[in-house]
Protein backbone atom coordinates (compact mmCIF):
# COMPACT_ATOMS: atom_id res chain seq x y z
CA UNK A 1 0.00 0.00 0.00
CA UNK A 2 2.65 2.57 -0.80
CA UNK A 3 1.29 5.99 -1.58
CA UNK A 4 1.31 6.54 -5.31
CA UNK A 5 -1.07 9.45 -5.11
CA UNK A 6 -0.34 11.55 -2.08
CA UNK A 7 2.42 13.90 -3.15
CA UNK A 8 2.83 16.42 -5.93
CA UNK A 9 4.41 15.12 -9.11
CA UNK A 10 5.45 16.71 -12.37
CA UNK A 11 6.63 15.98 -15.86
CA UNK A 12 9.25 13.36 -16.63
CA UNK A 13 11.60 16.13 -17.76
CA UNK A 14 11.94 17.15 -14.13
CA UNK A 15 12.39 13.59 -12.87
CA UNK A 16 16.21 13.60 -12.63
CA UNK A 17 16.28 16.93 -10.79
CA UNK A 18 13.55 15.75 -8.44
CA UNK A 19 15.51 12.56 -7.74
CA UNK A 20 18.60 14.59 -6.68
CA UNK A 21 16.48 16.88 -4.52
CA UNK A 22 14.59 13.86 -3.19
CA UNK A 23 17.81 12.16 -2.15
CA UNK A 24 18.88 15.17 -0.10
CA UNK A 25 15.40 15.50 1.37
CA UNK A 26 15.13 11.81 2.21
CA UNK A 27 18.42 11.85 4.08
CA UNK A 28 17.50 14.90 6.17
CA UNK A 29 13.93 13.97 7.07
CA UNK A 30 12.72 14.60 10.63
CA UNK A 31 10.00 12.73 12.52
CA UNK A 32 7.60 15.48 11.44
CA UNK A 33 8.43 14.77 7.78
CA UNK A 34 7.90 11.06 8.36
CA UNK A 35 4.49 11.81 9.84
CA UNK A 36 3.44 13.59 6.65
CA UNK A 37 5.30 11.21 4.35
CA UNK A 38 5.01 7.97 6.28
CA UNK A 39 5.71 5.79 3.28
CA UNK A 40 9.26 7.18 3.15
CA UNK A 41 9.94 5.43 6.44
CA UNK A 42 11.95 2.26 5.85
CA UNK A 43 10.18 0.45 8.69
CA UNK A 44 6.93 0.35 6.73
CA UNK A 45 8.68 -1.17 3.71
CA UNK A 46 10.53 -3.63 5.90
CA UNK A 47 7.22 -4.80 7.37
CA UNK A 48 5.68 -5.24 3.91
CA UNK A 49 8.72 -7.00 2.42
CA UNK A 50 8.90 -9.33 5.42
CA UNK A 51 5.20 -10.13 4.98
CA UNK A 52 6.01 -13.49 3.46
CA UNK A 53 2.45 -14.21 2.32
CA UNK A 54 2.08 -10.91 0.48
CA UNK A 55 5.49 -10.79 -1.18
CA UNK A 56 5.79 -14.48 -2.09
CA UNK A 57 2.32 -14.67 -3.66
CA UNK A 58 3.00 -11.62 -5.85
CA UNK A 59 6.30 -13.24 -6.82
CA UNK A 60 4.53 -16.51 -7.61
CA UNK A 61 1.85 -14.74 -9.69
CA UNK A 62 4.58 -13.10 -11.79
CA UNK A 63 7.03 -16.02 -12.10
CA UNK A 64 4.44 -18.77 -12.73
CA UNK A 65 2.70 -16.66 -15.36
CA UNK A 66 5.65 -15.11 -17.15
CA UNK A 67 3.62 -15.30 -20.38
CA UNK A 68 1.77 -12.26 -18.96
CA UNK A 69 5.01 -10.30 -18.51
CA UNK A 70 7.68 -11.46 -20.98
CA UNK A 71 8.30 -8.87 -23.70
CA UNK A 72 5.55 -6.65 -22.26
CA UNK A 73 5.36 -3.09 -20.91
CA UNK A 74 4.51 -3.11 -17.20
CA UNK A 75 3.27 -0.34 -14.89
CA UNK A 76 3.92 -0.76 -11.14
CA UNK A 77 1.74 1.60 -9.11
CA UNK A 78 2.95 2.51 -5.62
CA UNK A 79 6.21 0.69 -6.26
CA UNK A 80 7.82 1.33 -2.86
CA UNK A 81 11.27 -0.27 -2.91
CA UNK A 82 10.62 -1.59 -6.43
CA UNK A 83 10.45 -5.26 -5.49
CA UNK A 84 7.49 -6.08 -7.79
CA UNK A 85 9.15 -4.22 -10.68
CA UNK A 86 12.27 -6.31 -10.21
CA UNK A 87 10.24 -9.54 -10.20
CA UNK A 88 8.76 -8.41 -13.55
CA UNK A 89 12.15 -7.43 -15.01
CA UNK A 90 13.60 -10.80 -14.02
CA UNK A 91 11.00 -12.75 -16.04
CA UNK A 92 11.69 -10.67 -19.14
CA UNK A 93 9.52 -7.55 -19.13
CA UNK A 94 10.37 -5.26 -22.05
CA UNK A 95 10.02 -2.14 -19.87
CA UNK A 96 8.75 -1.43 -16.37
CA UNK A 97 7.56 2.00 -15.20
CA UNK A 98 7.57 2.12 -11.40
CA UNK A 99 5.65 4.99 -9.84
CA UNK A 100 5.69 6.21 -6.24
CA UNK A 101 5.19 9.70 -4.91
CA UNK A 102 6.86 9.32 -1.53
CA UNK A 103 10.58 9.77 -0.94
CA UNK A 104 11.07 5.98 -1.14
CA UNK A 105 11.18 6.46 -4.94
CA UNK A 106 14.66 7.95 -4.50
CA UNK A 107 15.81 4.71 -2.95
CA UNK A 108 13.92 2.58 -5.47
CA UNK A 109 16.06 4.22 -8.18
CA UNK A 110 19.22 3.28 -6.26
CA UNK A 111 17.96 -0.27 -5.65
CA UNK A 112 17.18 -0.79 -9.35
CA UNK A 113 20.69 0.39 -10.24
CA UNK A 114 22.24 -1.71 -7.48
CA UNK A 115 20.65 -4.76 -9.11
CA UNK A 116 21.63 -3.82 -12.68
CA UNK A 117 18.06 -3.37 -13.91
CA UNK A 118 18.11 0.33 -14.83
CA UNK A 119 17.86 -0.48 -18.56
CA UNK A 120 14.46 -2.10 -17.99
CA UNK A 121 13.00 -0.29 -14.94
CA UNK A 122 12.32 3.44 -14.88
CA UNK A 123 11.33 4.85 -11.49
CA UNK A 124 9.10 7.93 -11.67
CA UNK A 125 8.47 10.00 -8.55
CA UNK A 126 5.10 11.68 -8.70
CA UNK A 127 1.37 11.41 -8.48
CA UNK A 128 -0.20 8.93 -10.92
CA UNK A 129 -2.96 11.42 -11.71
CA UNK A 130 -0.40 14.06 -12.77
CA UNK A 131 2.56 12.31 -14.41
CA UNK A 132 2.95 11.35 -18.05
CA UNK A 133 4.50 8.06 -19.15
CA UNK A 134 6.92 7.85 -22.10
CA UNK A 135 4.47 5.34 -23.68
CA UNK A 136 0.81 5.69 -24.65
CA UNK A 137 -0.28 2.31 -23.35
CA UNK A 138 0.92 -0.51 -21.08
CA UNK A 139 0.21 -4.25 -21.28
CA UNK A 140 0.21 -4.98 -17.55
CA UNK A 141 -0.59 -3.11 -14.33
CA UNK A 142 0.77 -4.59 -11.11
CA UNK A 143 0.01 -2.93 -7.79
CA UNK A 144 -0.20 -3.81 -4.13
CA UNK A 145 -2.93 -1.30 -3.46
CA UNK A 146 -4.96 -2.97 -0.70
CA UNK A 147 -5.47 -1.35 2.70
CA UNK A 148 -6.89 -2.52 6.01
CA UNK A 149 -10.49 -3.66 5.51
CA UNK A 150 -9.37 -3.77 1.85
CA UNK A 151 -10.53 -0.20 1.17
CA UNK A 152 -9.04 1.87 4.04
CA UNK A 153 -6.20 4.11 2.80
CA UNK A 154 -6.15 1.99 -0.34
CA UNK A 155 -4.86 3.13 -3.72
CA UNK A 156 -7.77 1.60 -5.64
CA UNK A 157 -8.90 5.00 -6.97
CA UNK A 158 -5.39 5.54 -8.32
CA UNK A 159 -5.23 2.08 -9.91
CA UNK A 160 -8.60 2.67 -11.60
CA UNK A 161 -7.36 6.01 -12.96
CA UNK A 162 -4.20 4.39 -14.35
CA UNK A 163 -6.19 1.51 -15.86
CA UNK A 164 -8.54 3.87 -17.69
CA UNK A 165 -5.69 6.06 -18.93
CA UNK A 166 -2.96 3.57 -19.88
CA UNK A 167 -4.01 -0.10 -19.92
CA UNK A 168 -4.43 -1.65 -23.37
CA UNK A 169 -7.80 -3.31 -24.08
CA UNK A 170 -7.59 -6.83 -22.67
CA UNK A 171 -4.50 -5.90 -20.63
CA UNK A 172 -3.55 -7.81 -17.50
CA UNK A 173 -4.11 -6.55 -13.95
CA UNK A 174 -2.34 -8.13 -10.97
CA UNK A 175 -4.25 -8.84 -8.81
CA UNK A 176 -7.51 -9.01 -10.75
CA UNK A 177 -10.11 -10.29 -8.27
CA UNK A 178 -10.59 -9.71 -4.52
CA UNK A 179 -13.33 -10.46 -2.00
CA UNK A 180 -14.15 -8.69 1.27
CA UNK A 181 -15.51 -11.20 3.79
CA UNK A 182 -17.07 -11.14 7.26
CA UNK A 183 -17.38 -13.58 10.19
CA UNK A 184 -18.66 -13.36 13.77
CA UNK A 185 -16.32 -13.90 16.74
CA UNK A 186 -16.43 -14.54 20.47
CA UNK A 187 -14.13 -11.97 22.09
CA UNK A 188 -15.32 -11.35 25.65
CA UNK A 189 -11.86 -11.13 27.21
CA UNK A 190 -10.40 -8.59 24.79
CA UNK A 191 -13.59 -6.53 24.66
CA UNK A 192 -13.47 -6.30 28.44
CA UNK A 193 -9.80 -5.26 28.34
CA UNK A 194 -10.18 -2.67 25.53
CA UNK A 195 -13.70 -1.28 26.02
CA UNK A 196 -15.23 -2.19 29.38
CA UNK A 197 -12.03 -0.86 30.98
CA UNK A 198 -13.48 2.66 30.60
CA UNK A 199 -16.51 1.82 32.79
CA UNK A 200 -14.35 1.91 35.91
CA UNK A 201 -10.90 3.51 35.85
CA UNK A 202 -9.57 3.47 39.42
CA UNK A 203 -13.14 3.89 40.61
CA UNK A 204 -14.08 6.62 38.11
CA UNK A 205 -16.45 6.31 35.16
CA UNK A 206 -15.07 7.24 31.75
CA UNK A 207 -17.91 5.83 29.66
CA UNK A 208 -17.83 8.83 27.33
CA UNK A 209 -14.51 7.51 25.97
CA UNK A 210 -15.93 3.98 25.63
CA UNK A 211 -18.73 5.38 23.45
CA UNK A 212 -16.15 6.80 21.04
CA UNK A 213 -13.70 3.88 21.27
CA UNK A 214 -16.31 1.35 20.14
CA UNK A 215 -16.85 3.34 16.92
CA UNK A 216 -13.20 2.89 15.95
CA UNK A 217 -12.63 -0.50 14.28
CA UNK A 218 -9.64 -2.36 15.69
CA UNK A 219 -6.95 -3.73 13.36
CA UNK A 220 -5.53 -6.76 15.11
CA UNK A 221 -4.80 -10.48 14.82
CA UNK A 222 -7.88 -12.62 15.47
CA UNK A 223 -7.35 -16.23 16.56
CA UNK A 224 -9.19 -18.72 14.36
CA UNK A 225 -10.70 -20.49 17.40
CA UNK A 226 -12.63 -17.27 18.17
CA UNK A 227 -14.58 -17.53 14.89
CA UNK A 228 -18.01 -18.96 15.70
CA UNK A 229 -19.92 -18.43 12.42
CA UNK A 230 -19.58 -19.29 8.77
CA UNK A 231 -18.13 -16.79 6.28
CA UNK A 232 -20.16 -14.31 4.23
CA UNK A 233 -18.74 -12.52 1.18
CA UNK A 234 -19.59 -8.82 1.51
CA UNK A 235 -18.08 -7.45 -1.68
CA UNK A 236 -16.43 -8.73 -4.86
CA UNK A 237 -13.87 -6.49 -6.54
CA UNK A 238 -13.19 -7.34 -10.18
CA UNK A 239 -10.36 -4.90 -10.74
CA UNK A 240 -10.57 -4.71 -14.58
CA UNK A 241 -14.21 -3.48 -14.32
CA UNK A 242 -14.41 -1.80 -10.91
CA UNK A 243 -15.27 1.90 -10.74
CA UNK A 244 -14.62 4.61 -8.16
CA UNK A 245 -18.39 4.70 -7.56
CA UNK A 246 -18.31 0.99 -6.65
CA UNK A 247 -16.24 1.88 -3.57
CA UNK A 248 -19.50 3.06 -1.97
CA UNK A 249 -21.71 0.05 -1.30
CA UNK A 250 -24.23 -1.65 0.97
CA UNK A 251 -24.00 -5.42 1.36
CA UNK A 252 -26.35 -7.78 3.20
CA UNK A 253 -24.92 -10.55 5.37
CA UNK A 254 -26.27 -13.66 7.05
CA UNK A 255 -23.90 -15.39 9.47
CA UNK A 256 -24.77 -18.94 10.52
CA UNK A 257 -23.50 -20.01 13.96
CA UNK A 258 -21.19 -23.06 13.89
CA UNK A 259 -21.68 -23.69 17.62
CA UNK A 260 -23.48 -22.36 20.67
CA UNK A 261 -21.58 -19.19 21.55
CA UNK A 262 -21.64 -15.43 22.05
CA UNK A 263 -20.87 -12.93 19.30
CA UNK A 264 -19.08 -9.82 20.51
CA UNK A 265 -17.78 -8.51 17.21
CA UNK A 266 -17.83 -8.88 13.45
CA UNK A 267 -14.48 -9.38 11.75
CA UNK A 268 -13.67 -8.41 8.16
CA UNK A 269 -10.80 -9.70 6.03
CA UNK A 270 -10.04 -9.99 2.32
CA UNK A 271 -8.85 -12.58 -0.18
CA UNK A 272 -6.65 -11.63 -3.14
CA UNK A 273 -6.68 -13.62 -6.40
CA UNK A 274 -4.30 -13.63 -9.35
CA UNK A 275 -6.49 -15.51 -11.81
CA UNK A 276 -5.09 -14.23 -15.12
CA UNK A 277 -2.62 -16.58 -16.69
CA UNK A 278 -1.45 -20.16 -16.85
CA UNK A 279 -1.38 -20.90 -13.11
CA UNK A 280 -3.71 -18.91 -10.83
CA UNK A 281 -2.83 -18.29 -7.18
CA UNK A 282 -4.25 -16.38 -4.22
CA UNK A 283 -3.67 -15.38 -0.62
CA UNK A 284 -6.08 -14.78 2.23
CA UNK A 285 -5.98 -12.46 5.23
CA UNK A 286 -8.44 -14.73 7.07
CA UNK A 287 -7.91 -15.64 10.75
CA UNK A 288 -7.55 -19.24 9.47
CA UNK A 289 -4.61 -18.35 7.18
CA UNK A 290 -0.99 -17.42 7.87
CA UNK A 291 -1.05 -13.87 9.24
CA UNK A 292 -0.19 -10.84 7.12
CA UNK A 293 0.57 -7.20 7.96
CA UNK A 294 -3.10 -6.44 7.16
CA UNK A 295 -4.22 -8.60 10.13
CA UNK A 296 -8.04 -8.41 10.44
CA UNK A 297 -10.49 -5.57 11.13
CA UNK A 298 -12.69 -5.96 14.23
CA UNK A 299 -16.03 -4.18 14.64
CA UNK A 300 -17.33 -4.50 18.21
CA UNK A 301 -21.10 -4.68 18.57
CA UNK A 302 -22.79 -2.60 21.29
CA UNK A 303 -24.21 -5.77 22.90
CA UNK A 304 -23.30 -9.43 23.28
CA UNK A 305 -25.32 -11.70 20.96
CA UNK A 306 -26.29 -15.11 22.40
CA UNK A 307 -26.48 -17.46 19.44
CA UNK A 308 -27.17 -21.19 19.13
CA UNK A 309 -25.70 -23.53 16.53
CA UNK A 310 -27.53 -23.09 13.23
CA UNK A 311 -29.09 -19.72 14.17
CA UNK A 312 -28.48 -16.69 11.95
CA UNK A 313 -27.30 -13.16 12.60
CA UNK A 314 -28.61 -11.06 9.72
CA UNK A 315 -27.78 -7.51 8.73
CA UNK A 316 -26.18 -5.09 6.31
CA UNK A 317 -22.82 -3.34 6.11
CA UNK A 318 -22.58 0.00 4.32
CA UNK A 319 -19.22 1.52 3.39
CA UNK A 320 -18.52 4.93 1.92
CA UNK A 321 -15.38 7.05 1.60
CA UNK A 322 -15.40 9.94 4.06
CA UNK A 323 -16.35 13.25 2.43
CA UNK A 324 -13.37 15.07 3.94
CA UNK A 325 -10.78 12.43 2.99
CA UNK A 326 -11.56 9.63 0.55
CA UNK A 327 -8.90 7.39 2.10
CA UNK A 328 -10.90 7.34 5.36
CA UNK A 329 -14.07 5.28 5.61
CA UNK A 330 -17.51 5.68 7.20
CA UNK A 331 -19.05 2.26 7.87
CA UNK A 332 -22.54 1.44 9.15
CA UNK A 333 -23.48 -2.01 10.40
CA UNK A 334 -27.12 -2.92 11.06
CA UNK A 335 -27.96 -6.31 12.58
CA UNK A 336 -30.90 -8.37 13.76
CA UNK A 337 -31.05 -11.65 15.67
CA UNK A 338 -34.10 -13.72 16.55
CA UNK A 339 -32.74 -16.64 18.54
CA UNK A 340 -33.86 -19.12 21.15
CA UNK A 341 -32.29 -17.17 24.02
CA UNK A 342 -32.15 -13.65 22.67
CA UNK A 343 -33.81 -11.21 20.29
CA UNK A 344 -31.58 -8.30 19.39
CA UNK A 345 -31.55 -5.47 16.89
CA UNK A 346 -29.11 -2.61 16.48
CA UNK A 347 -27.11 -0.27 14.31
CA UNK A 348 -23.60 1.12 14.74
CA UNK A 349 -21.69 3.84 12.93
CA UNK A 350 -17.94 3.22 12.65
CA UNK A 351 -15.16 5.51 11.48
CA UNK A 352 -11.86 4.26 10.05
CA UNK A 353 -9.45 7.20 10.38
Amino acid sequence: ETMASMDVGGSNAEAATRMDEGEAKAESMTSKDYYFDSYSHFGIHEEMLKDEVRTSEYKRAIEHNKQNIEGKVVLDIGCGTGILSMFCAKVGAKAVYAIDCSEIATYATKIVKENGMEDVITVIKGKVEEIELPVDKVDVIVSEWMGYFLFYESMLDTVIHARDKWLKPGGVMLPDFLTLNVVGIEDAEYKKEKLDFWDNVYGYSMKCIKEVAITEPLVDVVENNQVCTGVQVLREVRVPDYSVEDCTFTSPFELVAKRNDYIHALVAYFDTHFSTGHKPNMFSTSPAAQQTHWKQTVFYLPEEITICEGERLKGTLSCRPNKGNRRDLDITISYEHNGKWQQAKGQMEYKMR
Side-chain angles (χ1 to χ4, degrees):
E1 323 123 86
T2 44
M3 296 192 178
S5 63
M6 284 200 64
D7 209 17
V8 287
S11 71
N12 293 335
E14 300 164 342
T17 309
R18 285 205 312 277
M19 283 299 176
D20 293 338
E21 290 169 354
E23 192 170 324
K25 185 179 172 188
E27 288 172 1
S28 63
M29 288 180 88
T30 65
S31 59
K32 184 184 174 189
D33 296 317
Y34 280 133
Y35 178 80
F36 291 111
D37 193 5
S38 63
Y39 280 81
S40 297
H41 202 303
F42 301 127
I44 289 175
H45 296 282
E46 180 182 353
E47 181 187 30
M48 291 192 288
L49 291 167
K50 284 182 175 174
D51 184 337
E52 188 187 338
V53 175
R54 162 200 180 266
T55 309
S56 64
E57 290 303 331
Y58 269 88
K59 186 172 188 274
R60 186 173 285 118
I62 290 163
E63 290 183 349
H64 288 190
N65 299 285
K66 62 181 184 181
Q67 303 90 338
N68 284 338
I69 308 287
E70 206 169 5
K72 302 289 176 64
V73 178
V74 179
L75 179 60
D76 179 0
I77 298 171
C79 67
T81 55
I83 189 75
L84 302 184
S85 292
M86 291 190 290
F87 291 159
C88 291
K90 192 175 180 184
V91 299
K94 179 183 173 183
V96 182
Y97 298 102
I99 304 175
D100 206 294
C101 73
S102 85
E103 293 302 324
I104 197 67
T106 307
Y107 290 94
T109 304
K110 289 182 174 184
I111 290 165
V112 166
K113 197 168 183 181
E114 201 174 312
N115 289 278
M117 292 180 168
E118 65 270 32
D119 291 345
V120 177
I121 302 171
T122 304
V123 179
I124 302 169
K125 182 178 184 295
K127 191 174 175 183
V128 164
E129 291 82 356
E130 294 176 4
I131 65 158
E132 291 302 325
L133 292 179
V135 292
D136 291 332
K137 295 290 176 187
V138 300
D139 303 294
V140 181
I141 291 178
V142 61
S143 180
E144 193 271 81
W145 54 263
M146 302 82 75
Y148 300 129
F149 185 71
L150 186 55
F151 298 105
Y152 174 63
E153 282 197 340
S154 90
M155 296 189 306
L156 184 53
D157 286 12
T158 301
V159 170
I160 290 168
H161 177 91
R163 177 200 69 196
D164 293 347
K165 185 173 181 180
W166 287 306
L167 189 65
K168 284 181 181 173
V172 170
M173 301 197 77
L174 299 173
D176 61 312
F177 179 64
L178 301 95
T179 61
L180 178 66
N181 315 293
V182 67
V183 293
I185 65 163
E186 182 282 321
D187 201 21
E189 199 176 319
Y190 203 64
K191 186 179 183 187
K192 186 177 181 181
E193 185 186 317
K194 294 295 287 185
L195 293 174
D196 297 344
F197 161 77
W198 298 107
D199 291 342
N200 183 335
V201 183
Y202 291 90
Y204 300 101
S205 172
M206 298 189 182
K207 287 182 179 174
C208 59
I209 292 181
K210 180 181 179 179
E211 288 164 13
V212 176
I214 198 170
T215 69
E216 298 173 353
L218 185 71
V219 174
D220 208 346
V221 173
V222 173
E223 299 296 335
N224 193 41
N225 61 10
Q226 295 177 262
V227 177
C228 58
T229 72
V231 181
Q232 171 80 57
V233 175
L234 284 173
R235 192 71 171 160
E236 294 186 342
V237 178
R238 298 180 190 280
V239 189
D241 314 310
Y242 214 69
S243 70
V244 170
E245 292 71 31
D246 290 330
C247 295
T248 300
F249 59 88
T250 299
S251 299
F253 61 82
E254 190 170 294
L255 299 173
V256 182
K258 297 192 289 185
R259 59 179 185 248
N260 291 357
D261 215 328
Y262 302 93
I263 296 176
H264 298 97
L266 301 185
V267 170
Y269 67 90
F270 62 89
D271 294 341
T272 301
H273 297 260
F274 303 88
S275 62
T276 317
H278 178 64
K279 195 170 182 182
N281 65 301
M282 63 86 66
F283 68 85
S284 177
T285 63
S286 158
Q290 184 179 336
Q291 287 303 313
T292 71
H293 76 280
W294 286 285
K295 303 176 185 176
Q296 288 84 36
T297 306
V298 182
F299 298 86
Y300 284 109
L301 299 175
E303 60 189 320
E304 177 181 272
I305 306 291
T306 307
I307 197 163
C308 300
E309 184 178 351
E311 289 182 350
R312 295 159 193 271
L313 177 66
K314 299 179 181 180
T316 59
L317 182 146
S318 298
C319 176
R320 59 201 169 277
N322 177 261
K323 286 177 183 173
N325 178 0
R326 280 193 59 83
R327 288 175 181 270
D328 292 344
L329 299 176
D330 295 328
I331 296 162
T332 305
I333 294 177
S334 303
Y335 62 90
E336 188 171 351
H337 174 56
N338 292 304
K340 179 181 177 183
W341 302 118
Q342 185 188 17
Q343 286 73 49
K345 192 175 185 178
Q347 180 171 303
M348 277 288 293
E349 304 280 341
Y350 301 92
K351 300 179 190 304
M352 289 195 79
R353 299 289 186 267

